[in-house]
Amino acid sequence: MVVLDRPADLEAWIGKEIGVSEWLAIDQSRIDDFARISGDDHWLHVDVERARREMPDGKTIAHGFMTLSLIPYLVRSVYAITHRGRGLNYGTNKIRFVNPVQVGDRIRLRQRIKAVERGQGGGQEGATRVVSDCTIEIEGKERPALVAEFLMLVYDE
């Protein structure tokens, strides 16, 4: 894990891979919880028996948006900023769900810092906008689960 002093220190990482997260196992309980919270209870996510009969490899698959929503959690094992205020998800660009995540898969985040910009008003005073290229990899699979440009605001202390 990379430990930085202040949000502006991310500027030194522009154009570079800042790191790779720990692996996270995707189990049926996590998928079921996301289905309950999001209301997306399509059978290919939650019906283990039907998936066993009808899905490739006989497994349920995680929601693409569940996988996307794990980026902020996975970032915690990539880098930390010691002296900072709040952090907010600011948006995503160019999301592509490339490969389904099956129950039992392990995923991780590979993150490259694309841009770091100091706030210029519009409610962003004292904030650093961080744009990252994020790839969620699936252990043992060549194609990633997703690729996205992810934006965060990190405020000064």
Side-chain angles (χ1 to χ4, degrees), residues 2 4 10 13 16-20 78-79 111-113:
V2 172
L4 304 166
L10 283 164
W13 290 91
K16 300 175 189 170
E17 181 176 292
I18 193 164
V20 180
V78 174
Y79 71 89
Q111 186 174 26
R112 185 177 70 81
I113 304 299

Side-chain angles (χ1 to χ4, degrees), residues 4-25:
L4 304 166
D5 188 47
R6 307 223 174 261
D9 295 342
L10 283 164
E11 289 178 357
W13 290 91
I14 295 172
K16 300 175 189 170
E17 181 176 292
I18 193 164
V20 180
S21 75
E22 300 292 328
W23 288 106
L24 176 67

Side-chain angles (χ1 to χ4, degrees), residues 125-140:
E125 296 86 356
T128 300
R129 183 171 47 185
V130 182
V131 181
S132 300
D133 285 328
C134 293
T135 302
I136 300 288
E137 300 174 335
I138 307 169
E139 187 176 39

Side-chain angles (χ1 to χ4, degrees), residues 6 13-14 29 35 39 47 57-58 60-61 66 69 74 77 82 97-98 108 115 119 139 148 152:
R6 307 223 174 261
W13 290 91
I14 295 172
S29 175
D47 191 332
D57 300 324
T60 58
I61 61 171
M66 183 191 97
S69 74
L74 294 168
S77 68
T82 307
F97 299 105
V98 180
R108 70 180 179 185
E139 187 176 39
M152 286 189 64

